[in-house]
Amino acid sequence: MAIQDEPDQVPGREVPGREVPGREVPGREVSGGALVVDKPRAAVVRDALGVGVAVGLSGFAFGVTAAGAGISTLQACVLSLLVFTGASQFALVGALAAGGNPFTAAAGAFFLGTRNAFYGLRLSQLLALPKSVRPFAAHWVIDETTAVALAQPDRRSARLGFTVTGLSLYVLWNLTTLLGALGAEAIGDTRAWGLDAAGPAVFLALLAPMLKTGTERAVAALALVLGLGLLPVLPAGVPVLIAALAAPIVLWMKGRRS
């Protein structure tokens, strides 16, 4: 973080990035004499592990949902290993569970996953990884790794945060997918236990705290209306695709008002 004109320091409180008289602040100088404060590695690892563990455990819900949709344990594990993007996986098995066409279900999952390509454009500049490891790192470009990497103050911390988040999340997601699928097979019909709703419930629990502005809430509400309203009249999987139009519709309406 570059030091520019900032308000005076509040007594008893340290302003990040500013040197405190009589105390050394770990950092490094860049052009212009500005000081960039390095974030401790332990703090980066702690934050990254917190995200990786919290989200990785929801792979159990995916394993249960996949089993309830008639997908075998092997197929569920292969999806988590090769696809590794939670929302797309839930969308795929959800459409299949509703009796949707496999191609329609795959199309919905694909369009949800395209957002990772845009994340990759930003992360390629931020991380500046060697070309030899970029194909492997691309597999870990998802919501969580992007958020952790972008939250870091420098490239070194961003690389560490991206790696720790990706590794912990990938290992836990695949392990809990296996456990969830095996557990669902052991208890029988997941719908009798209500476990088929576990996946959507986890996804909504992760999404709800992110809806902070009126625009975001409007997009979510319109997507909900489109998805549920069209569910009885369109093939399974298609309402999800149409619900994706909520974002451009709300932004267009907001632009007209402004």
Side-chain angles (χ1 to χ4, degrees), residues 12-211:
R13 181 178 176 186
E14 180 180 342
V15 178
R18 168 169 292 183
E19 293 192 46
V20 181
R23 178 177 173 186
E24 292 186 1
V25 178
R28 46 192 166 79
E29 287 190 1
V30 295
S31 59
L35 180 68
V36 176
V37 177
D38 292 326
K39 187 174 181 179
R41 291 174 61 90
V44 178
V45 172
R46 180 197 62 218
D47 295 343
L49 282 177
V51 173
V53 172
V55 180
L57 293 176
S58 63
F60 183 84
F62 171 71
V64 171
T65 306
I71 295 177
S72 69
T73 299
L74 177 60
Q75 290 171 329
C77 291
V78 169
L79 274 174
S80 285
L81 284 168
L82 301 182
V83 178
F84 187 54
T85 171
S88 298
Q89 293 178 231
F90 278 118
L92 176 63
V93 299
L96 292 176
N101 184 289
F103 293 102
T104 304
F110 172 79
F111 282 113
L112 278 175
T114 54
R115 70 191 187 282
N116 295 336
F118 296 99
Y119 296 159
L121 293 176
R122 178 66 183 93
L123 289 180
S124 64
Q125 300 175 349
L126 174 64
L127 302 179
L129 297 172
K131 292 183 178 180
S132 59
V133 303
R134 288 182 185 178
F136 303 99
H139 193 50
W140 287 356
V141 176
I142 55 177
D143 299 328
E144 294 77 15
T145 55
T146 301
V148 172
L150 292 178
Q152 307 309 319
D154 56 78
R155 177 168 294 165
R156 180 185 66 86
S157 298
R159 286 180 172 180
L160 179 61
F162 176 86
T163 303
V164 174
T165 305
L167 179 60
S168 59
L169 182 49
Y170 189 73
V171 171
L172 274 177
W173 180 267
N174 282 279
L175 177 60
T176 53
T177 293
L178 173 62
L179 294 177
L182 291 175
E185 288 185 353
I187 64 176
D189 186 5
T190 57
R191 290 173 294 183
W193 295 78
L195 296 179
D196 55 324
V202 170
F203 184 71
L204 289 175
L206 293 172
L207 178 64
M210 301 173 64
L211 304 177

Side-chain angles (χ1 to χ4, degrees), residues 1-22:
M1 180 186 300
I3 296 179
Q4 299 175 347
D5 294 333
E6 298 178 350
D8 292 336
Q9 183 177 343
V10 178
R13 181 178 176 186
E14 180 180 342
V15 178
R18 168 169 292 183
E19 293 192 46
V20 181

